[in-house]
Amino acid sequence: ALTIKLGEYTDRYCNMSITKIEHSAQAIMPNNDTFFFDDIGCMILWLKEQKNNTNIILWVYAQDTKQYIHPQNAWFTVNENTPMEYGFGAYSIKKENMIDFDTMRLKVYRGETLQNVLIKQNIQKNIDE
């Protein structure tokens, strides 16, 4: 993974300026071009649009280690305040109620993110109980 220069790169999917490293992600193409994302949800949706995505190397910023890790090895929370409100935070160590990469990806595809008001209310309700 490359060092992101905050404020100098924009998200490849949503075109927002990347101003925080937390929740950021990167995709490295076979020709070594690197694309940056401010939110893992943006990277997942961008990746879905790529014709041959099996040779793309992915990185996500882990909240617990403060380093980039491969998302396939990460565990994700579902209720974080992320730049585009998908709500997924990456961690290297699994804790209670975390989900794996494939489950997180499926939730993004289905719209089961904090962008969905009903999902957000349900998650908040479970936290309050």
Side-chain angles (χ1 to χ4, degrees):
L2 298 176
T3 301
I4 292 179
K5 296 177 185 172
L6 299 177
E8 291 188 26
Y9 296 110
T10 57
D11 185 296
R12 181 67 177 196
Y13 184 77
C14 72
N15 208 33
M16 295 292 291
S17 178
I18 300 172
T19 59
K20 294 182 180 180
I21 196 166
E22 296 80 13
H23 305 108
S24 65
Q26 299 181 29
I28 303 173
M29 305 299 286
N31 67 357
N32 288 326
D33 284 348
T34 301
F35 299 122
F36 301 101
F37 305 89
D38 64 348
D39 194 305
I40 183 79
C42 289
M43 183 177 75
I44 295 301
L45 293 173
W46 171 86
L47 189 64
K48 185 179 180 183
E49 296 175 350
Q50 306 311 301
K51 291 179 182 160
N52 184 7
N53 62 22
T54 56
N55 294 325
I56 300 172
I57 299 169
L58 305 176
W59 296 96
V60 293
Y61 189 80
Q63 305 298 307
D64 52 355
T65 62
K66 309 292 187 217
Q67 296 178 12
Y68 283 98
I69 62 173
H70 294 289
Q72 297 87 342
N73 298 331
W75 297 96
F76 297 89
T77 55
V78 298
N79 60 348
E80 297 214 10
N81 183 19
T82 65
M84 297 308 294
E85 296 185 0
Y86 290 101
F88 301 105
Y91 292 81
S92 64
I93 298 172
K94 183 180 182 182
K95 293 186 180 174
E96 188 176 354
N97 298 321
M98 288 184 169
I99 60 176
D100 64 14
F101 175 74
D102 290 331
T103 303
M104 180 273 301
R105 180 175 51 192
L106 187 58
K107 285 182 174 291
V108 171
Y109 291 165
R110 291 178 175 169
E112 297 171 2
T113 70
L114 293 185
Q115 290 179 339
N116 181 318
V117 174
L118 295 176
I119 298 290
K120 189 173 189 174
Q121 288 173 345
N122 189 39
I123 287 173
Q124 186 60 48
K125 178 183 167 193
N126 289 336
I127 291 172
D128 292 342
E129 291 178 348

